[in-house]
Amino acid sequence: MQHARVAVVGGGPAGLMAAGALAERGCTVTVYDAMPSVGRKFLLAGRGGLNLTHSEPLADFLGRYGDRRDPLAPLVEAFPPQALREWAHGLGVETFVGSSGRVFPNEMKAAPLLRAWLARLRAAGVRFAVRHRWLGWAGEAAQGGPVEDHPAPDAANADERQPRPQRLRFATREGEQHVEADALVLALGGGSWAKLGSDGAWVAPLRAAGVEVADLLPANCGFDVAGPAGTGWSAHFLERFRGQPLKSVAARCTDPTGRIHARAGECLISATGIEGGLVYALSAPLRDTLLARGEAILELDLAPGRSLERLAAELARPRGSRSFASHLHSQAGIKGVKAGLLRECVDKAGLDDPARLAAAIKALPLRLLATRPLDEAISSAGGVRFEALDAHLMLRARPGVFVAGEMLDWEAPTGGYLLTACFATGLAAGTAAADWLSHRP
């Protein structure tokens, strides 16, 4: 194992976890990253407070991965949120549970954790090669037959089953370089935040190598709305309310299968539509509906604490000399951006009819026309399909190549679920690569 050379491509949480697991097993590990330094997206994620993980019960936690729960569950169970907290404590970074159940470092920043982590990796012998952009494989070294679920090879077929060393192509400032490795861990991230390195450029070489990759799509993203005059809000509405939060609201939508999804929280009026935590939590069903039908409806409840009947009765009370805005505020508690949104989306006849107005307050339909671009999204869906991997995250089409992090075909809401899965899959891929190398003849 001391002579096993492993290339880890991608210096985010998944890649660094893989590198640590491999170094602990005695492998010679080099982490390659296209950026001038590693962990750039990780650092940006911690700029407003690094949300490492979540403290909710593990069964609920695993449910956040939706239809990818089953392949992710054993990986996260092997490195659950509590283990992640203990790992951080081992680096000298204490954590706390916030009022929402989210887990943060005491200092709220990513930089101290990353510094301590990199120091530990360097002490373990991990090398770093930055400004190295992976271009794929060179020559015939990329070839290798399909493999089963990664058992140890027997003497009779070892030569047939084991590929030649991975010969990797990298673009560097000195020109293209080729690197040989006995095993490869790919942890290049998803398709969002290209300026930080996650540009999805790895899709093409993997598909060319025969790997099944689902299209990368925006996740935890904002949406463009259909306004009264076509696409987007009116100029008057934008001038007054762009960037303002919609607080204490609830939202619901129906996905293409007819399942209803509902959340409560807050969101934000953007230049072209709507974004923010509440919208991100529903972004997957909204995006899937857009793909299936060309548009999606997001219903907002602007007064979740009041019933439709109560609102209708209160709004039907005589207005007297009060203005519409004053009446709406006094009777329904609606003012500011909420009142502006009603004026934007409901015609005058609807505003003047207490029953219709109450119905709009409880279920204001916003017609969504598109997701915001992938590069604006917090994360991405799609990636290497789990069906293209064995149970140990090794590519069936490429023996000795393991995949981790957001390159895999899964998605999750914000709240610590994204980072936790990146840590867990990185650890799993690094451990599996070391196991695979140890079984070689």
Side-chain angles (χ1 to χ4, degrees):
M1 290 290 288
Q2 284 87 355
H3 301 291
R5 303 159 300 170
V6 185
V8 176
V9 184
L16 296 180
M17 285 298 286
L22 286 157
E24 285 179 7
R25 296 283 293 273
C27 297
T28 300
V29 184
T30 303
V31 175
Y32 297 88
D33 197 279
M35 304 304 289
S37 58
V38 300
R40 291 204 163 194
K41 188 175 178 181
F42 181 68
L43 288 173
L44 186 66
R47 184 170 294 177
L50 180 66
N51 183 192
L52 271 176
T53 188
H54 203 286
S55 64
E56 68 185 352
L58 187 57
D60 296 333
F61 190 101
L62 293 173
R64 306 296 185 179
Y65 298 109
D67 60 3
R68 288 295 183 263
R69 180 194 186 283
D70 289 347
L72 283 174
L75 308 176
V76 175
E77 287 170 344
F79 193 66
Q82 184 56 37
L84 175 52
R85 295 185 69 185
E86 292 168 0
W87 170 85
H89 296 172
L91 289 172
V93 176
E94 298 299 318
T95 60
F96 72 95
V97 179
S99 58
S100 64
R102 300 183 181 199
V103 176
F104 301 89
N106 283 358
E107 295 184 7
M108 296 293 288
K109 298 177 182 178
L113 189 152
L114 183 61
R115 282 196 298 268
W117 192 2
L118 294 178
R120 174 186 287 181
L121 291 173
R122 289 190 174 101
V126 175
R127 295 179 58 250
F128 294 88
V130 296
R131 293 188 172 93
H132 278 62
R133 180 175 296 278
W134 185 64
L135 301 175
W137 290 272
E140 294 299 315
Q143 302 303 313
V147 294
E148 301 300 325
D149 257 356
H150 174 166
D154 56 53
N157 64 7
D159 291 339
E160 295 181 5
R161 290 179 57 81
Q162 297 307 311
R164 287 166 285 178
Q166 307 288 331
R167 190 159 178 251
L168 310 173
R169 299 172 55 214
F170 289 96
T172 76
R173 290 185 295 180
E174 290 74 36
E176 183 170 320
Q177 295 184 6
H178 292 183
V179 172
E180 284 197 354
D182 299 301
L184 169 65
V185 177
L186 295 174
L188 286 139
S192 62
W193 299 80
K195 66 181 181 181
L196 300 177
S198 297
D199 58 8
W202 50 266
V203 171
L206 281 186
R207 284 178 171 167
V211 178
E212 188 178 5
V213 181
D215 290 341
L216 298 180
L217 300 170
N220 293 296
C221 60
F223 293 84
D224 295 341
V225 302
T231 302
W233 306 115
S234 68
H236 175 73
F237 181 78
L238 274 180
E239 183 181 355
R240 294 196 61 190
F241 300 112
R242 177 179 176 178
Q244 291 200 20
L246 274 167
K247 296 185 177 182
S248 301
V249 296
R252 55 181 276 165
C253 64
T254 304
D255 68 22
T257 69
R259 181 184 172 192
I260 295 174
H261 303 260
R263 294 285 190 278
E266 65 179 72
C267 49
L268 192 76
I269 300 298
S270 69
T272 62
I274 193 164
E275 59 183 42
L278 177 58
V279 176
Y280 300 157
L282 297 171
S283 62
L286 288 170
R287 181 199 64 228
D288 293 346
T289 303
L290 274 168
L291 290 172
R293 300 174 182 168
E295 67 176 36
I297 302 298
L298 177 67
E299 290 187 349
L300 292 180
D301 182 349
L302 304 179
R306 304 192 188 200
S307 69
L308 175 63
E309 294 75 17
R310 176 186 170 189
L311 276 172
E314 290 172 334
L315 290 169
R317 292 173 181 166
R319 184 191 305 180
S321 60
R322 290 180 300 180
S323 67
F324 172 79
S326 178
H327 182 69
L328 188 63
H329 183 203
S330 64
Q331 299 303 313
I334 301 292
K335 62 178 181 177
V337 62
K338 291 183 178 180
L341 197 58
L342 286 170
R343 291 182 181 273
E344 180 80 353
C345 300
V346 181
D347 60 25
K348 186 176 186 307
L351 295 176
D352 291 338
D353 183 329
R356 287 181 59 188
L357 179 57
I361 291 171
K362 293 299 293 179
L364 185 68
L366 298 184
R367 189 160 64 95
L368 309 181
L369 300 180
T371 63
R372 295 300 300 157
L374 175 59
D375 196 45
E376 293 182 16
I378 291 175
S379 58
S380 59
V384 177
R385 294 190 183 276
F386 282 96
E387 293 78 9
L389 304 161
D390 73 4
H392 307 277
L393 301 181
M394 185 166 75
L395 289 175
R396 295 181 183 277
R398 291 290 181 270
V401 180
F402 300 79
V403 185
E406 277 197 77
M407 284 184 71
L408 298 169
D409 182 17
W410 60 276
E411 63 181 305
T414 57
Y417 311 104
L418 292 164
L419 269 180
T420 300
C422 287
F423 279 103
T425 57
L427 177 62
T431 302
D435 288 343
W436 182 81
L437 287 164
S438 69
H439 285 119
R440 294 185 310 165

